[in-house]
Amino acid sequence: RTASQTSESTSTDSDKTPVRVDSQDSQVSDSDTITDGHRWPRQNSLSMREWDIPFDELKMNDVIGKGRFCTVYRGQWHGDVAVKVLNVIYLKDEKTLDHFKNEVSTFRKTRHENLILFMGACMKPPKLAIVTSLSKGMTLYTHIHLRKDKFNMNKTTNVAQQISQGMGYLHAKGIIHKDLKSKNIFIENGKVVITDFGLFSVTKLCFGNKDTDSLGIPPGWLCYLAPEIMKSLHAHQPHDEELPFSKASDVYAFGTVWYELLCGEWPFKGQPPEAVIWQVGKGMKQPLANLQASRDVKDILMLCWSFHADDRPDFVRLLNILDKLPKKRLARSPSHPIHLSRSAES
Ligand code: ADP
Ligand code: MG
């Protein structure tokens, strides 16, 4: 669509004021797109530059976490930041760099209270890094699995609601998280902050899979994978494009986080990967017989873990369901002594 077409099509509609297209603006550059008479810079062109942080401007402090493909540093750039540096030794080709730039362009579209603040990226090889605000809180993983903190039902629901808010926003923007897990959810003074959305292929799978087991599966990942993804894991080198991630597979992962919040552990705990893949692929679910929770609460799990992607609710519906869960008064109840132990309320 060119500028003149836009102005013509608008002016034929006699009821509406035609959108003015400046003659200067009608000189459309290669990198621009015209929609509704506006000129929008295309992704990856000029507009990328404002997110480009020169690597030299970053002050790197200590390492917070290290994987094979990236290292996260505490850093300084106009204040405290987290810098996720990609180990570019694995950067195989130009296509991977494009992939990285694409994922960054996805990241920069996000502005929501429950999502980590994206600040910019270093996009000149060999220094590739993503700069976000530094979360001062602990991850849900640390709370649940390391500290063994217990969340009462009100807190559990509140955390789930905040996750759903952030995820609902991402999905409304057309962004699939692809790696929703308790390690990517921070809790800061009661506020949920989700990280690492849309970065999965660059940080996990693009550069090879030496850090993974024989099936190409990064550790601690399986129980978040929906059946349709499990079934496509057979290829030796799973690549993001080959894995059928979707909004519905994010909802499946949310179900697992909901289970962690309720039970304090992962589903299929202690079972070998092959057994988990087989069961989930066949539509089997972690039994809930030992889970002491109401029908409504268990129903959320069953819905999110539905075998067919179409049967899983979206986050709008999940928020609706979570809103309707009965709120317990906070009085200490002797029949639920578990909630009196170390609390993660703070
Ligand atoms: P994973 O999500 O599998 O733990 P990451 O590479 O994403 O692996 O993160 C490595 C470490 O860095 C983790 O301990 C994570 O909690 C920490 N981390 C990542 N991003 C941030 C951030 N924005 N603020 C504080 N810590 C972070
Ligand atoms: Mg992470």
Coordinates of all heavy atoms in Angstrom, one line a residue, residues 112-114 140 151-167 185-194 254 257-258 261-262 297 300 318-319 321-328 330 344-346:
H112 N 4.2 -3.6 30.8 CA 3.1 -4.1 31.8 C 3.8 -4.3 33.1 O 4.9 -4.7 33.2 CB 2.5 -5.4 31.3 CG 1.3 -5.9 32.0 ND1 1.4 -6.6 33.2 CD2 0.0 -5.7 31.8 CE1 0.2 -6.8 33.7 NE2 -0.7 -6.3 32.8
E113 N 3.0 -4.0 34.1 CA 3.4 -4.1 35.5 C 4.0 -5.4 35.9 O 4.9 -5.5 36.7 CB 2.2 -3.8 36.4 CG 2.6 -3.1 37.7 CD 1.5 -2.9 38.7 OE1 0.4 -3.3 38.3 OE2 1.8 -2.4 39.7
N114 N 3.5 -6.5 35.3 CA 3.9 -7.8 35.7 C 4.9 -8.4 34.8 O 5.2 -9.6 34.8 CB 2.7 -8.8 35.8 CG 1.7 -8.3 36.9 OD1 0.6 -8.0 36.6 ND2 2.2 -8.2 38.1
L140 N 9.9 -17.4 42.0 CA 8.9 -18.4 42.6 C 9.6 -19.7 42.8 O 9.3 -20.4 43.8 CB 7.8 -18.5 41.5 CG 6.4 -18.9 42.1 CD1 6.0 -18.1 43.2 CD2 5.4 -18.8 40.9
F151 N 2.6 -21.0 50.4 CA 1.7 -19.9 50.1 C 0.3 -20.3 50.5 O -0.2 -21.4 50.1 CB 1.7 -19.7 48.6 CG 3.0 -19.1 48.1 CD1 4.0 -19.9 47.7 CD2 3.2 -17.7 48.0 CE1 5.2 -19.4 47.2 CE2 4.4 -17.2 47.5 CZ 5.4 -18.1 47.1
N152 N -0.4 -19.5 51.3 CA -1.8 -19.9 51.6 C -2.6 -19.7 50.3 O -2.1 -19.1 49.3 CB -2.3 -19.1 52.8 CG -2.4 -17.6 52.5 OD1 -2.7 -17.2 51.4 ND2 -2.1 -16.8 53.5
M153 N -3.9 -20.1 50.4 CA -4.7 -20.1 49.2 C -4.9 -18.7 48.6 O -4.9 -18.5 47.4 CB -6.1 -20.7 49.5 CG -6.7 -21.4 48.3 SD -5.6 -22.4 47.3 CE -6.0 -21.8 45.7
N154 N -5.1 -17.7 49.5 CA -5.3 -16.3 49.0 C -4.0 -15.8 48.3 O -4.1 -15.2 47.2 CB -5.6 -15.4 50.2 CG -7.0 -15.5 50.7 OD1 -7.7 -16.3 50.2 ND2 -7.3 -14.8 51.8
K155 N -2.9 -16.1 48.8 CA -1.6 -15.7 48.2 C -1.4 -16.4 46.9 O -1.0 -15.8 45.8 CB -0.5 -16.0 49.2 CG 0.9 -15.6 48.6 CD 1.2 -14.2 48.7 CE 2.6 -13.9 48.1 NZ 2.8 -12.4 48.0
T156 N -1.7 -17.7 46.9 CA -1.6 -18.5 45.7 C -2.5 -18.0 44.6 O -2.0 -17.8 43.4 CB -2.0 -20.0 46.0 OG1 -1.1 -20.5 47.0 CG2 -2.0 -20.9 44.8
T157 N -3.7 -17.6 44.9 CA -4.6 -17.1 43.9 C -4.1 -15.8 43.4 O -4.1 -15.5 42.2 CB -6.0 -16.9 44.5 OG1 -6.4 -18.2 45.1 CG2 -7.0 -16.5 43.5
N158 N -3.6 -14.9 44.4 CA -3.2 -13.6 44.0 C -2.0 -13.7 43.0 O -1.9 -13.0 42.0 CB -2.8 -12.8 45.2 CG -2.3 -11.4 44.9 OD1 -1.1 -11.3 44.7 ND2 -3.2 -10.5 44.8
V159 N -1.0 -14.6 43.3 CA 0.1 -14.7 42.4 C -0.3 -15.2 41.1 O 0.1 -14.7 40.0 CB 1.2 -15.7 43.1 CG1 2.2 -16.1 42.1 CG2 1.8 -15.1 44.3
A160 N -1.3 -16.2 41.1 CA -1.8 -16.7 39.8 C -2.5 -15.6 39.0 O -2.4 -15.6 37.8 CB -2.7 -17.9 40.1
Q161 N -3.2 -14.8 39.7 CA -3.9 -13.7 39.0 C -2.9 -12.7 38.3 O -3.1 -12.3 37.2 CB -4.8 -12.9 40.0 CG -6.1 -13.6 40.3 CD -6.8 -13.0 41.5 OE1 -6.2 -12.6 42.4 NE2 -8.2 -13.0 41.4
Q162 N -1.8 -12.4 39.1 CA -0.8 -11.5 38.5 C -0.1 -12.1 37.3 O 0.2 -11.4 36.3 CB 0.2 -11.1 39.6 CG -0.4 -10.2 40.7 CD 0.6 -9.7 41.6 OE1 1.5 -9.0 41.2 NE2 0.6 -10.1 42.9
I163 N 0.2 -13.4 37.4 CA 0.8 -14.1 36.3 C -0.1 -14.0 35.1 O 0.3 -13.7 34.0 CB 1.2 -15.6 36.6 CG1 2.1 -15.7 37.8 CG2 1.7 -16.3 35.4 CD1 2.3 -17.1 38.3
S164 N -1.4 -14.3 35.3 CA -2.4 -14.3 34.3 C -2.5 -12.9 33.6 O -2.7 -12.8 32.4 CB -3.8 -14.8 34.8 OG -3.7 -16.1 35.3
Q165 N -2.4 -11.9 34.5 CA -2.5 -10.5 33.9 C -1.4 -10.3 32.9 O -1.6 -9.8 31.8 CB -2.4 -9.5 35.0 CG -3.4 -9.6 36.1 CD -4.7 -8.7 35.9 OE1 -4.9 -8.3 34.8 NE2 -5.4 -8.5 36.9
G166 N -0.2 -10.6 33.4 CA 1.0 -10.4 32.5 C 1.0 -11.2 31.3 O 1.2 -10.7 30.2
M167 N 0.6 -12.5 31.5 CA 0.5 -13.4 30.3 C -0.6 -13.0 29.3 O -0.5 -13.1 28.1 CB 0.3 -14.8 30.8 CG 1.5 -15.5 31.5 SD 3.0 -15.5 30.5 CE 2.4 -16.5 29.1
I185 N 9.7 -16.4 37.0 CA 8.7 -15.5 37.7 C 9.3 -15.0 39.0 O 9.7 -15.8 39.9 CB 7.4 -16.3 38.0 CG1 6.8 -16.8 36.7 CG2 6.4 -15.4 38.7 CD1 5.7 -17.9 36.9
F186 N 9.5 -13.7 39.1 CA 10.0 -13.1 40.3 C 8.9 -12.6 41.2 O 7.8 -12.2 40.6 CB 10.9 -11.9 40.0 CG 12.3 -12.3 39.5 CD1 12.5 -12.4 38.1 CD2 13.3 -12.6 40.4 CE1 13.8 -12.8 37.7 CE2 14.6 -13.0 39.9 CZ 14.8 -13.1 38.6
I187 N 9.1 -12.5 42.5 CA 8.1 -11.9 43.4 C 8.9 -10.8 44.1 O 9.8 -11.1 44.8 CB 7.5 -12.9 44.3 CG1 6.9 -14.1 43.6 CG2 6.5 -12.2 45.2 CD1 5.7 -14.7 44.1
E188 N 8.4 -9.6 43.9 CA 9.1 -8.4 44.5 C 8.0 -7.7 45.4 O 7.1 -7.1 44.8 CB 9.5 -7.4 43.4 CG 10.7 -7.8 42.7 CD 11.0 -6.7 41.6 OE1 10.8 -5.5 41.8 OE2 11.5 -7.1 40.5
N189 N 8.2 -7.8 46.6 CA 7.2 -7.2 47.6 C 5.8 -7.5 47.2 O 4.9 -6.7 47.1 CB 7.4 -5.6 47.6 CG 8.7 -5.2 48.0 OD1 9.3 -5.8 48.9 ND2 9.3 -4.2 47.3
G190 N 5.6 -8.8 46.9 CA 4.2 -9.2 46.6 C 3.8 -9.0 45.1 O 2.8 -9.5 44.7
K191 N 4.7 -8.3 44.4 CA 4.3 -8.1 43.0 C 5.0 -9.2 42.1 O 6.2 -9.4 42.2 CB 4.8 -6.7 42.5 CG 4.1 -6.3 41.2 CD 4.4 -4.9 40.8 CE 5.7 -4.9 40.0 NZ 6.0 -3.5 39.4
V192 N 4.3 -9.7 41.2 CA 4.8 -10.7 40.2 C 5.5 -10.0 39.1 O 4.9 -9.1 38.5 CB 3.7 -11.7 39.8 CG1 4.1 -12.4 38.5 CG2 3.3 -12.6 40.8
V193 N 6.7 -10.5 38.7 CA 7.4 -10.0 37.5 C 7.9 -11.1 36.7 O 8.7 -11.9 37.1 CB 8.6 -9.1 37.9 CG1 9.3 -8.5 36.7 CG2 8.1 -7.9 38.8
I194 N 7.3 -11.2 35.5 CA 7.7 -12.3 34.6 C 8.8 -11.9 33.7 O 8.9 -10.8 33.2 CB 6.4 -12.7 33.7 CG1 5.2 -13.0 34.6 CG2 6.8 -13.8 32.7 CD1 3.9 -13.1 33.8
F254 N 1.4 -22.6 32.6 CA 0.8 -21.9 33.7 C 0.2 -23.0 34.6 O 0.3 -22.8 35.9 CB -0.2 -20.9 33.2 CG -1.1 -20.4 34.4 CD1 -0.6 -19.3 35.1 CD2 -2.3 -21.0 34.7 CE1 -1.4 -18.8 36.2 CE2 -3.1 -20.5 35.7 CZ -2.6 -19.4 36.5
V257 N 2.8 -24.2 36.9 CA 3.1 -23.3 37.9 C 2.0 -23.3 39.0 O 2.3 -23.2 40.2 CB 3.3 -21.8 37.3 CG1 3.5 -20.8 38.4 CG2 4.4 -21.8 36.3
W258 N 0.8 -23.4 38.6 CA -0.3 -23.4 39.5 C -0.2 -24.7 40.4 O -0.4 -24.6 41.7 CB -1.7 -23.4 38.8 CG -3.0 -23.5 39.5 CD1 -3.9 -24.5 39.4 CD2 -3.5 -22.6 40.4 NE1 -5.0 -24.3 40.2 CE2 -4.8 -23.1 40.9 CE3 -3.1 -21.4 41.0 CZ2 -5.6 -22.4 41.8 CZ3 -3.9 -20.7 41.9 CH2 -5.1 -21.2 42.3
L261 N 2.6 -24.0 43.0 CA 2.1 -23.2 44.0 C 1.3 -24.0 45.1 O 1.4 -23.7 46.3 CB 1.2 -22.0 43.4 CG 2.0 -20.8 42.8 CD1 1.0 -20.1 41.9 CD2 2.6 -19.9 43.9
L262 N 0.5 -24.9 44.5 CA -0.4 -25.6 45.4 C 0.3 -26.7 46.2 O 0.1 -27.0 47.4 CB -1.5 -26.3 44.6 CG -2.5 -25.4 43.9 CD1 -3.4 -26.2 42.9 CD2 -3.4 -24.6 44.9
V297 N -10.3 -25.5 42.5 CA -8.9 -25.3 42.4 C -8.3 -26.4 41.5 O -7.4 -26.1 40.6 CB -8.2 -25.3 43.8 CG1 -6.7 -25.5 43.7 CG2 -8.6 -24.0 44.5
I300 N -9.0 -26.0 37.7 CA -8.1 -25.1 37.0 C -6.9 -25.9 36.4 O -6.6 -25.7 35.2 CB -7.6 -24.0 37.9 CG1 -8.8 -23.1 38.3 CG2 -6.5 -23.1 37.2 CD1 -8.4 -22.0 39.3
L318 N -9.1 -17.6 32.4 CA -8.5 -18.0 33.7 C -8.6 -16.9 34.8 O -8.9 -17.2 35.9 CB -7.0 -18.3 33.4 CG -6.7 -19.7 33.0 CD1 -5.2 -19.8 32.6 CD2 -7.0 -20.7 34.1
L319 N -8.5 -15.7 34.4 CA -8.6 -14.6 35.3 C -10.0 -14.6 35.9 O -10.3 -14.4 37.1 CB -8.3 -13.2 34.6 CG -6.9 -12.8 34.7 CD1 -6.6 -11.6 33.8 CD2 -6.5 -12.5 36.2
I321 N -12.0 -17.2 36.2 CA -12.2 -18.3 37.1 C -11.5 -18.0 38.4 O -12.0 -18.3 39.5 CB -11.6 -19.6 36.4 CG1 -12.3 -20.0 35.1 CG2 -11.6 -20.8 37.4 CD1 -11.7 -21.1 34.3
L322 N -10.3 -17.5 38.3 CA -9.5 -17.2 39.5 C -10.2 -16.1 40.4 O -10.3 -16.3 41.6 CB -8.1 -16.7 39.2 CG -7.1 -17.7 38.6 CD1 -5.9 -17.0 38.0 CD2 -6.7 -18.7 39.7
D323 N -10.9 -15.2 39.7 CA -11.6 -14.1 40.5 C -12.8 -14.7 41.3 O -13.1 -14.2 42.3 CB -12.2 -13.1 39.5 CG -11.3 -12.0 39.2 OD1 -10.3 -11.9 39.9 OD2 -11.5 -11.3 38.2
K324 N -13.3 -15.8 40.7 CA -14.5 -16.4 41.4 C -14.1 -17.4 42.5 O -15.0 -17.9 43.2 CB -15.3 -17.1 40.3 CG -16.0 -16.1 39.4 CD -17.1 -16.8 38.6 CE -17.7 -15.7 37.7 NZ -17.5 -16.0 36.3
L325 N -12.9 -17.7 42.7 CA -12.5 -18.6 43.7 C -12.8 -18.0 45.1 O -12.6 -16.8 45.3 CB -11.0 -18.9 43.7 CG -10.5 -19.9 42.6 CD1 -9.0 -20.1 42.8 CD2 -11.2 -21.2 42.6
P326 N -13.4 -18.7 46.0 CA -13.8 -18.1 47.3 C -12.6 -17.6 48.0 O -11.5 -18.3 48.0 CB -14.5 -19.3 48.0 CG -14.1 -20.5 47.3 CD -13.7 -20.2 45.9
K327 N -12.6 -16.4 48.6 CA -11.5 -15.9 49.3 C -11.7 -16.4 50.8 O -12.7 -16.2 51.4 CB -11.6 -14.4 49.3 CG -11.3 -13.8 48.0 CD -10.0 -13.1 48.0 CE -9.6 -12.4 46.6 NZ -10.2 -13.0 45.4
K328 N -10.6 -16.9 51.3 CA -10.6 -17.3 52.7 C -10.2 -16.1 53.6 O -9.4 -15.4 53.2 CB -9.6 -18.5 52.9 CG -10.0 -19.8 52.3 CD -9.8 -20.9 53.3 CE -10.4 -22.2 52.8 NZ -9.7 -22.7 51.5
L330 N -8.3 -14.4 56.5 CA -6.9 -14.7 56.8 C -6.7 -15.2 58.2 O -5.6 -15.5 58.6 CB -6.0 -13.5 56.6 CG -5.7 -13.2 55.1 CD1 -5.1 -11.9 54.9 CD2 -4.8 -14.3 54.6
A344 N 5.5 -17.0 52.9 CA 6.1 -16.1 51.8 C 5.4 -14.8 51.7 O 5.5 -14.2 50.7 CB 6.1 -16.9 50.5
E345 N 4.6 -14.4 52.7 CA 3.8 -13.2 52.6 C 4.6 -12.0 52.4 O 4.2 -11.0 51.8 CB 3.0 -13.0 53.8 CG 1.9 -14.0 54.1 CD 0.8 -14.1 53.0 OE1 0.4 -13.0 52.5 OE2 0.4 -15.2 52.7
S346 N 5.8 -11.9 53.0 CA 6.5 -10.7 53.1 C 6.8 -10.0 51.8 O 7.0 -10.6 50.8 CB 7.9 -10.9 53.8 OG 8.6 -11.8 53.1

